[in-house]
Amino acid sequence: MIVKDAVCPFCGCLCDDIEVEIESGRVVGVTNACDLGATKFLGGERLKTPIRREGKTWKDISYDEAIRYAAEMLLDAERPLLYGWSGTHGEAQCVGVHMAELVRGVIDNTSSVCHGPSVLAIQEVGHPGCTLGVVKNRADVVIYWGSNPIDAHPRHLSRYTCYAEGFFLENSFRDRKVIVVDVRKTRTANIADEFVRVRPGGDYAVLSALRAIVRGKTDTIPPTVAGVTRDQLIRVADLCLNAKFGAVYFGLGLTMIPGKYKNVRNAIELVTELNRHTKFTISAMRGHYNVYGSNEVNTWMTGYPFAIDFSRGIAFYNPGETTAVDVLARKECDAALIVGSDPAAHFPRKCIEHLAEIPVVQLDPYPNATTAFCSVQIPVAVTGVDAEGTAYRMDGVPIRTKKVVSSDYPSDEDVLTRMYALMQEALKR
Ligand code: SF4
């Protein structure tokens, strides 16, 4: 059987043209996906049942036992942390927010360690963005700043930029100009029309120089700015000013370097300057599958996109204080529920050391680095493969994802809903 138009559950591109071949209830072939997406559909060795740590070994336990353990762990904790959420659907994220409010915990998603600074910059100066479809059909200049889509979002180029046909563009494949700004020559830089190599930490200065040139202050630019020559800066500014429609996509190479959200704010302000002359947009290259959705769901439900602390009985938001890494580094939280992410693979050592000292329940189909620190791991259906639901693409478009195979595994939403019901019942008693 072939399932057509499946949605890839790996990166923020959410490619929705995937064909998945199913035989005897298993995925045996994937067409149209990149290697990252195909690997996600084909899957690996999954946990068969929930497991609980017993000394140095693991014991198989039932779903009932595992769910009860997680509910009691959250109810008994003084300051529980509910973290992750980017690899799961909006429906599960909603239940997570209700749970965090009920136990007065801190709920945070992976954007606090990736595009959190972008969210802060957008809160300050707004977001002149657009959908991927608009870029595909209209953009004649595309800039990738501090991002390397060939390796991280492989089909971004073939579906929306470099290699995509544009409805309103003649010869888009040949005429569309691609500019890459980065500190090293990435694989994406190799195919760019213009590669701007910036000295590490120099992005803010380069953005400011481009803003000055766009404002007509070319004479104020020194011979080089953060390793970029004045001639190249003028050439890049000219390419942008002569574009009919330009799009900037930025990645962690801009958000996670010194200057953080101020770099993104400066990039947004460059785009605002360019919009005095032509049309330009700017968007973040969101990495995790539904990380955009976790910001959306948290915002509708609490008013804030990530790092929400319910300990005061109301939603409180202060990134740098209420973000998961800060709560863990201060050793404040005394229990953690991890859903749809693998913090042990990304967090600073200090945070992981604290995770190893407190009870941790993880919902994940596969053993991963966080498994080593868990008290209990509950295997769930793979979001977007054997669980359907709603995810947000990197441009903010919500997409209903399909279930391409059936399995006996419960979804994240099923497990969380049961956990939440037990917690509500216990609090009534
Ligand atoms: Fe999946 Fe991203 Fe590859 Fe598209 S680009 S197939 S969403 S991993």
Side-chain angles (χ1 to χ4, degrees):
M1 181 181 82
I2 306 278
V3 179
K4 293 197 168 170
D5 300 329
V7 179
C8 173
F10 189 84
C11 85
C13 287
L14 257 73
C15 296
D16 54 1
D17 59 345
I18 313 294
E19 290 189 9
V20 185
E21 191 181 345
I22 313 291
E23 247 178 54
S24 312
R26 296 195 54 209
V27 177
V28 294
V30 183
T31 309
N32 289 343
C34 66
D35 282 354
L36 299 172
T39 308
K40 178 90 188 195
F41 275 109
L42 290 164
E45 198 55 40
R46 288 162 72 160
L47 274 181
K48 304 265 182 303
T49 61
I51 50 172
R52 189 176 68 213
R53 181 184 299 282
E54 291 217 334
K56 290 193 174 164
T57 60
W58 292 98
K59 184 184 171 213
D60 288 350
I61 55 173
S62 67
Y63 276 94
D64 283 348
E65 278 176 272
I67 291 169
R68 200 173 319 112
Y69 176 93
E72 284 168 7
M73 175 193 81
L74 290 173
L75 286 169
D76 291 346
E78 287 281 319
R79 189 155 169 74
L81 170 69
L82 295 85
Y83 177 77
W85 308 103
S86 307
T88 192
H89 285 132
E91 293 78 357
Q93 293 162 350
C94 278
V95 185
V97 175
H98 285 303
M99 286 168 60
E101 188 172 16
L102 191 74
V103 294
R104 295 193 169 202
V106 173
I107 184 162
D108 191 18
N109 53 64
T110 61
S111 59
S112 68
V113 289
C114 60
H115 276 286
S118 316
V119 174
L120 299 185
I122 291 166
Q123 285 173 332
E124 275 195 2
V125 284
H127 177 215
C130 69
T131 64
L132 289 164
V134 172
V135 171
K136 168 183 151 59
N137 288 315
R138 294 188 183 273
D140 53 352
V141 169
V142 175
I143 303 177
Y144 288 109
W145 198 304
S147 92
N148 178 19
I150 286 192
D151 287 319
H153 303 80
R155 296 185 75 219
H156 197 268
L157 298 109
S158 55
R159 293 195 86 202
Y160 307 113
T161 61
C162 287
Y163 309 117
E165 286 296 340
F167 188 80
F168 298 108
L169 295 166
E170 273 177 37
N171 301 321
S172 55
F173 182 77
R174 209 178 51 225
D175 295 346
R176 185 179 271 141
K177 293 280 176 279
V178 175
I179 302 167
V180 170
V181 186
D182 216 319
V183 293
R184 64 191 170 89
K185 194 154 196 199
T186 59
R187 291 210 292 158
T188 310
N190 281 333
I191 54 134
D193 297 285
E194 187 81 43
F195 170 48
V196 182
R197 185 176 217 138
V198 182
R199 226 177 18 234
D203 299 70
Y204 189 93
V206 171
L207 286 161
S208 301
L210 287 171
R211 284 178 65 189
I213 297 168
V214 172
R215 277 261 166 163
K217 309 273 184 203
T218 310
D219 50 340
T220 61
I221 307 300
T224 61
V225 177
V228 185
T229 64
R230 185 169 180 270
D231 286 350
Q232 190 177 29
L233 289 167
I234 293 172
R235 200 162 60 238
V236 168
D238 278 348
L239 273 173
C240 295
L241 288 166
N242 289 320
K244 288 202 181 75
F245 190 108
V248 180
Y249 286 104
F250 63 94
L252 302 195
L254 195 63
T255 66
M256 285 294 158
I257 58 166
K260 288 199 153 187
Y261 84 97
K262 292 290 184 194
N263 298 322
V264 181
R265 179 179 170 146
N266 212 7
I268 295 173
E269 285 175 334
L270 168 63
V271 167
T272 305
E273 299 284 357
L274 287 165
N275 274 313
R276 294 173 201 266
H277 303 271
T278 180
K279 282 192 167 48
F280 244 86
T281 67
I282 180 165
S283 303
M285 293 290 278
R286 305 306 301 263
H288 288 92
Y289 166 57
N290 191 25
V291 63
Y292 197 112
S294 56
N295 295 144
E296 286 287 308
V297 170
N298 284 359
T299 305
W300 321 320
M301 296 183 70
T302 71
Y304 304 113
F306 62 100
I308 303 133
D309 181 355
F310 283 106
S311 61
R312 294 160 174 82
I314 51 150
F316 174 73
Y317 164 71
N318 191 19
E321 180 195 343
T322 56
T323 18
V325 283
D326 299 286
V327 171
L328 284 166
R330 290 195 306 269
K331 296 180 181 273
E332 264 177 35
C333 65
D334 51 352
L337 174 70
I338 311 292
V339 182
S341 90
D342 182 10
H346 307 286
F347 275 12
R349 185 184 173 133
K350 211 173 164 186
C351 301
I352 299 169
E353 282 172 356
H354 186 57
L355 272 181
E357 284 170 11
I358 58 174
V360 175
V361 172
Q362 169 170 242
L363 270 58
D364 202 284
Y366 302 103
N368 57 22
T370 304
T371 306
F373 304 96
C374 282
S375 322
V376 165
Q377 179 161 345
I378 306 178
V380 282
V382 181
T383 302
V385 179
D386 46 350
E388 61 186 358
T390 310
Y392 280 75
R393 206 168 61 182
M394 62 163 70
D395 54 355
V397 174
I399 295 181
R400 184 76 190 166
T401 71
K402 285 186 181 176
K403 180 177 182 169
V404 297
V405 284
S406 293
S407 76
D408 294 335
Y409 289 101
S411 66
D412 289 320
E413 186 192 0
D414 296 335
V415 172
L416 292 166
T417 304
R418 284 176 62 189
M419 229 179 255
Y420 182 50
L422 284 180
M423 288 157 68
Q424 283 178 307
E425 232 171 75
L427 286 177
K428 267 190 224 146
R429 273 188 241 129

